[in-house]
Amino acid sequence: MDTVVVLKQFITEVIGEEFVEEMDIDMNSSFTKDLEMDSIEIVSFSEKIKAHYGDQIDFTGWLSNMDLDQLINLNLGMIVNYIDDARN
């Protein structure tokens, strides 16, 4: 399944279908600004990635190497690229 589709499903599960229906989630969607996800929701999203991809993807480790500005600007495209690169 396409990485974007999988991650959009995880976002929907974490923040709620009602909220997601009101927005157009694309590769530029920022987790903090556009999706308004808080740290608990990002942790939940991260756990879904780990459960789905297993140890093949160290999403938490990847996030831990970012500075605050990078985390604030984190968007769907950055995560899709990281996962696709890590899987190849």
Side-chain angles (χ1 to χ4, degrees):
M1 187 182 293
D2 183 21
T3 306
V4 175
V5 173
V6 170
L7 296 183
K8 282 185 177 182
Q9 179 60 39
F10 293 164
I11 291 167
T12 302
E13 291 170 10
V14 169
I15 65 175
E17 201 166 317
E18 311 80 34
F19 190 66
V20 172
E21 286 176 357
E22 298 174 8
M23 60 180 37
D24 182 29
I25 299 174
D26 62 26
M27 295 290 273
N28 294 315
S29 295
S30 162
F31 278 70
T32 55
K33 294 174 187 161
D34 299 323
L35 303 176
E36 299 177 5
M37 290 175 74
D38 61 26
S39 58
I40 300 297
E41 290 170 326
I42 292 173
V43 168
S44 178
F45 177 74
S46 151
E47 289 170 354
K48 289 182 178 297
I49 289 175
K50 182 174 175 84
H52 184 80
Y53 292 105
D55 293 333
Q56 179 183 15
I57 305 296
D58 182 15
F59 184 66
T60 307
W62 180 66
L63 288 178
S64 70
N65 289 320
M66 292 185 177
D67 63 30
L68 186 58
D69 285 339
Q70 289 173 311
L71 289 170
I72 290 171
N73 293 312
L74 184 66
N75 67 34
L76 182 58
M78 294 165 65
I79 298 171
V80 168
N81 290 337
Y82 165 70
I83 290 173
D84 287 347
D85 288 348
R87 291 173 63 199
N88 294 327

